[in-house]
Amino acid sequence: AVHANHSRIHKIPFADKKNCMYSPDVVSFARKQGYYTGSDADFSFSRAYAEYDFGALRGCDARVWAFYRHFADDIDRYLPWINGEKGAEVMPLYVKPNRKLTVADFKAAMRDHFEGTPFDMTNDIGAGPWKVPYRYRPMTFKVDDVEYTNERATATQQTGFSLVAQMRGSLPDAIGGVLWFGVDDANTSVYLPMYCSMDIVPYSYAVGNGDLLTFSWDAAFWVNNVVANYAYTRYSMMIGDIRKVQQQIETSLESNQTSVEAEALRLFNESPEKAAEFLNDYSCSRAADATAKYQQLAQFLIVKYLDGNMKREE
């Protein structure tokens, strides 16, 4: 199930008491307030309590649609709904994936800019010559009194942090729960494993001698922002260099996960405190390593793309 800042509950299975909970006056209150006048059977929670307009469809449900396209079949059938066509089939509250999903699948979906769809942000005039999939506020603009809109993608420059939660009941809670956590734009950030047994926040993710108004090369937030914001100027030229470093870090973390967690489990069987200390050290060291690599990446990008040129690396 995917949600994007707008209610997506439509039909309520009132008869299915085992699987559905709802307020007993959910329909009667809507009638009393004048939100709805039809029968219980035709009641749509979203239409009554969160009226759909262009902003809700293209600014919110379009992201849901894009997310579903990564994992399920025949999702393009709901494109008329996203476009606000009268009588269009409503997009479902949830879908069944067409395969077993991985952490990497969700990381990739978090980095979506409608690539390969009619809303592909790298192909419209706003992308400029460098195919930049980012738009700034306001989201609408006028030309000759005609209003146009910019798309709102899943990945956005305004992200403070994002995460993919991985929960495994087959492992002790201290090991089985891990947040793959990244700061700034999900598209260019690195997702790092933060285990739920941690009681220490990695230095570069806690303070790093910086805050929202104070730049610091030690703060992962600022280092990621340097990389991302420079790439926004000439995206198609730089994103390949960013992907190379990003994927090296994430691939290494993913390949090491089995052995790291096996050692954590061995220590947990001796003492849960030992396992927690081990995972503290591991996550903090990986955070420090990723921040250092992105410091190097930022400097590399400045040198390679200085003054609108592109140096040959050799």
Side-chain angles (χ1 to χ4, degrees):
V2 182
H3 299 274
N5 300 70
H6 192 268
S7 170
R8 296 194 52 250
I9 298 172
H10 285 273
K11 291 296 182 69
I12 298 176
F14 292 110
D16 189 359
K17 307 293 186 183
K18 182 179 179 180
N19 297 302
C20 180
M21 295 170 59
Y22 55 89
S23 173
D25 65 347
V26 64
V27 180
S28 62
F29 183 80
R31 289 197 186 99
K32 180 180 178 181
Q33 297 299 114
Y35 303 153
Y36 181 68
T37 59
S39 66
D40 287 10
D42 294 330
F43 179 75
S44 164
F45 179 89
S46 186
R47 290 185 186 277
Y49 289 102
E51 185 177 2
Y52 270 93
D53 55 17
F54 180 85
L57 290 168
R58 285 284 282 277
C60 300
D61 270 21
R63 281 180 282 156
V64 176
W65 173 79
F67 218 95
Y68 280 163
R69 290 181 85 251
H70 286 272
F71 308 127
D73 300 322
D74 198 23
I75 299 302
D76 283 356
R77 67 190 287 186
Y78 304 110
L79 188 56
W81 168 259
I82 301 303
N83 284 324
E85 296 181 16
K86 188 175 181 179
E89 183 179 4
V90 176
M91 195 160 54
L93 182 62
Y94 53 87
V95 297
K96 185 175 182 179
N98 54 19
R99 64 189 185 279
K100 185 175 182 178
L101 304 183
T102 66
V103 169
D105 285 328
F106 281 96
K107 293 176 186 176
M110 294 291 286
R111 292 166 173 154
D112 187 273
H113 305 103
F114 293 115
E115 286 89 349
T117 78
F119 310 128
D120 193 330
M121 297 172 71
T122 65
N123 290 331
D124 65 37
I125 193 170
W130 309 116
K131 294 188 173 296
V132 181
Y134 293 91
R135 306 293 181 268
Y136 302 109
R137 295 297 186 262
M139 293 300 291
T140 61
F141 59 95
K142 285 186 177 181
V143 178
D144 298 330
D145 292 327
V146 179
E147 187 172 65
Y148 299 87
T149 187
N150 288 312
E151 305 301 337
R152 169 61 166 92
T154 302
T156 174
Q157 72 277 8
Q158 291 139 190
T159 303
F161 65 87
S162 62
L163 59 90
V164 175
Q166 185 183 20
M167 298 166 283
R168 284 80 48 86
S170 58
L171 292 166
D173 289 350
I175 305 167
V178 55
L179 302 183
W180 295 90
F181 184 87
V183 290
D184 192 42
D185 184 352
N187 180 49
T188 49
S189 71
V190 175
Y191 284 111
L192 297 165
M194 305 292 181
Y195 285 87
C196 64
S197 56
M198 291 175 65
D199 55 15
I200 299 175
V201 180
Y203 171 73
S204 59
Y205 284 75
V207 181
N209 293 323
D211 56 44
L212 192 60
L213 300 179
T214 308
F215 179 87
S216 171
W217 277 112
D218 291 334
F221 172 81
W222 281 114
V223 174
N224 277 265
N225 266 284
V226 171
V227 169
N229 277 265
Y230 195 33
Y232 298 157
T233 63
R234 281 170 285 163
Y235 183 81
S236 59
M237 294 179 73
M238 299 186 196
I239 190 59
D241 289 319
I242 296 171
R243 285 280 183 265
K244 182 178 179 180
V245 176
Q246 180 190 58
Q247 290 173 3
Q248 284 176 345
I249 297 171
E250 291 189 347
T251 299
S252 175
L253 291 169
E254 291 163 6
S255 62
N256 290 336
Q257 187 178 13
T258 299
S259 60
V260 167
E261 292 178 350
E263 175 62 12
L265 183 60
R266 185 188 71 78
L267 292 170
F268 184 88
N269 290 330
E270 293 180 11
S271 163
E273 290 75 20
K274 286 184 179 180
E277 182 179 1
F278 172 76
L279 292 174
N280 265 329
D281 291 344
Y282 176 71
S283 291
C284 289
S285 67
R286 294 308 87 204
D289 178 71
T291 302
K293 283 185 167 62
Y294 260 49
Q295 290 169 344
Q296 296 167 5
L297 173 60
Q299 296 170 49
F300 172 84
L301 294 174
I302 290 288
V303 173
K304 182 175 179 178
Y305 297 100
L306 186 68
D307 293 338
N309 300 303
M310 182 174 68
K311 295 183 178 70
R312 293 191 299 271
E313 292 181 30
E314 67 274 14

